[in-house]
Protein backbone atom coordinates (compact mmCIF):
# COMPACT_ATOMS: atom_id res chain seq x y z
CA UNK A 1 0.00 0.00 0.00
CA UNK A 2 1.56 3.29 -1.09
CA UNK A 3 1.30 6.28 1.16
CA UNK A 4 0.24 9.49 -0.49
CA UNK A 5 2.11 12.64 0.53
CA UNK A 6 -0.17 15.06 2.35
CA UNK A 7 -1.00 18.09 0.34
CA UNK A 8 -0.92 21.24 2.50
CA UNK A 9 -3.51 23.73 1.38
CA UNK A 10 -3.38 27.21 2.89
CA UNK A 11 -6.38 28.98 4.38
CA UNK A 12 -6.35 31.45 1.51
CA UNK A 13 -6.48 28.60 -1.02
CA UNK A 14 -9.39 27.01 0.86
CA UNK A 15 -11.37 30.25 0.81
CA UNK A 16 -10.57 30.70 -2.86
CA UNK A 17 -11.83 27.19 -3.61
CA UNK A 18 -15.15 27.82 -1.85
CA UNK A 19 -15.41 31.23 -3.52
CA UNK A 20 -14.85 29.71 -6.97
CA UNK A 21 -17.66 27.26 -6.33
CA UNK A 22 -20.14 29.79 -4.94
CA UNK A 23 -19.42 32.83 -7.09
CA UNK A 24 -18.07 31.38 -10.29
CA UNK A 25 -20.14 28.19 -10.34
CA UNK A 26 -17.17 25.86 -10.65
CA UNK A 27 -18.24 22.27 -9.91
CA UNK A 28 -17.10 20.85 -6.56
CA UNK A 29 -15.77 17.78 -8.36
CA UNK A 30 -13.53 19.96 -10.57
CA UNK A 31 -12.14 21.86 -7.58
CA UNK A 32 -11.57 18.65 -5.63
CA UNK A 33 -9.77 17.08 -8.55
CA UNK A 34 -7.54 20.14 -8.96
CA UNK A 35 -6.66 20.16 -5.25
CA UNK A 36 -6.53 16.37 -4.98
CA UNK A 37 -8.99 16.30 -2.08
CA UNK A 38 -12.12 14.39 -1.16
CA UNK A 39 -15.39 16.33 -1.67
CA UNK A 40 -16.14 15.82 2.03
CA UNK A 41 -13.06 17.91 2.80
CA UNK A 42 -14.36 20.70 0.53
CA UNK A 43 -17.73 20.70 2.28
CA UNK A 44 -15.97 20.85 5.67
CA UNK A 45 -14.18 24.02 4.51
CA UNK A 46 -17.44 25.50 3.28
CA UNK A 47 -19.17 24.69 6.56
CA UNK A 48 -16.33 26.21 8.61
CA UNK A 49 -16.33 29.31 6.44
CA UNK A 50 -20.04 29.88 7.00
CA UNK A 51 -19.97 29.08 10.71
CA UNK A 52 -16.96 31.35 11.36
CA UNK A 53 -17.71 34.01 8.77
CA UNK A 54 -19.11 36.43 11.33
CA UNK A 55 -15.67 36.64 12.95
CA UNK A 56 -14.19 37.90 9.70
CA UNK A 57 -16.83 40.62 9.50
CA UNK A 58 -16.56 41.72 13.13
CA UNK A 59 -13.94 44.35 13.96
CA UNK A 60 -11.25 42.86 16.15
CA UNK A 61 -10.05 44.38 19.41
CA UNK A 62 -6.77 45.15 17.68
CA UNK A 63 -8.43 47.10 14.86
CA UNK A 64 -10.55 49.04 17.36
CA UNK A 65 -7.41 49.85 19.38
CA UNK A 66 -5.61 51.05 16.25
CA UNK A 67 -8.58 53.21 15.29
CA UNK A 68 -8.67 54.75 18.77
CA UNK A 69 -4.93 55.43 18.67
CA UNK A 70 -5.26 57.11 15.28
CA UNK A 71 -8.06 59.34 16.61
CA UNK A 72 -5.94 60.27 19.63
CA UNK A 73 -2.92 61.12 17.49
CA UNK A 74 -5.03 63.14 15.06
CA UNK A 75 -6.41 65.10 18.00
CA UNK A 76 -2.89 65.83 19.25
CA UNK A 77 -1.87 67.01 15.78
CA UNK A 78 -4.86 69.37 15.65
CA UNK A 79 -3.88 70.79 19.06
CA UNK A 80 -0.28 71.29 17.95
CA UNK A 81 -1.42 72.94 14.71
CA UNK A 82 -3.51 75.36 16.76
CA UNK A 83 -0.55 76.21 19.01
CA UNK A 84 1.72 76.77 15.98
CA UNK A 85 -0.93 79.01 14.41
CA UNK A 86 -1.26 81.08 17.58
CA UNK A 87 2.52 81.43 17.97
CA UNK A 88 2.98 82.37 14.31
CA UNK A 89 0.20 84.98 14.61
CA UNK A 90 1.80 86.45 17.74
CA UNK A 91 5.21 86.57 16.04
CA UNK A 92 3.79 88.34 13.00
CA UNK A 93 1.95 90.82 15.23
CA UNK A 94 5.13 91.48 17.24
CA UNK A 95 7.16 92.05 14.07
CA UNK A 96 4.53 94.46 12.77
CA UNK A 97 4.69 96.46 16.01
CA UNK A 98 8.48 96.47 15.89
CA UNK A 99 8.34 97.74 12.31
CA UNK A 100 10.05 94.71 10.85
CA UNK A 101 7.17 93.95 8.49
Amino acid sequence: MSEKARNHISSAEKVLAVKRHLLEGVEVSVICEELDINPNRFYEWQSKLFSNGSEALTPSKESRAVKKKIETLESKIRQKDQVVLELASELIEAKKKAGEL
Side-chain angles (χ1 to χ4, degrees):
M1 183 158 59
S2 66
E3 268 190 50
K4 196 175 189 180
R6 285 194 73 134
N7 197 11
H8 178 73
I9 300 171
S10 71
S11 297
E13 290 172 313
K14 293 174 185 178
V15 170
L16 181 61
V18 175
K19 177 182 170 187
R20 285 179 60 210
H21 170 64
L22 296 174
L23 298 180
E24 299 171 14
V26 178
E27 296 282 336
V28 172
S29 59
V30 171
I31 294 170
C32 292
E33 189 174 307
E34 289 173 0
L35 298 174
D36 194 27
I37 60 167
N38 186 295
N40 290 335
R41 178 68 43 143
F42 175 87
Y43 288 114
E44 285 175 17
W45 299 345
Q46 182 174 292
S47 176
K48 285 181 183 179
L49 181 63
F50 286 133
S51 64
N52 297 323
S54 63
E55 290 177 21
L57 300 174
T58 302
S60 66
K61 288 181 182 179
E62 184 176 298
S63 67
R64 286 190 297 256
V66 168
K67 187 175 180 179
K68 184 173 180 168
K69 185 170 186 168
I70 289 170
E71 289 171 356
T72 301
L73 293 172
E74 286 175 341
S75 175
K76 286 182 179 183
I77 289 171
R78 281 191 297 275
Q79 288 174 333
K80 288 180 182 182
D81 286 347
Q82 185 63 36
V83 168
V84 169
L85 179 64
E86 289 175 19
L87 290 173
S89 296
E90 289 176 12
L91 179 61
I92 291 170
E93 205 51 46
K95 285 187 174 190
K96 284 180 181 177
K97 286 183 182 177
E100 293 180 19
L101 287 180

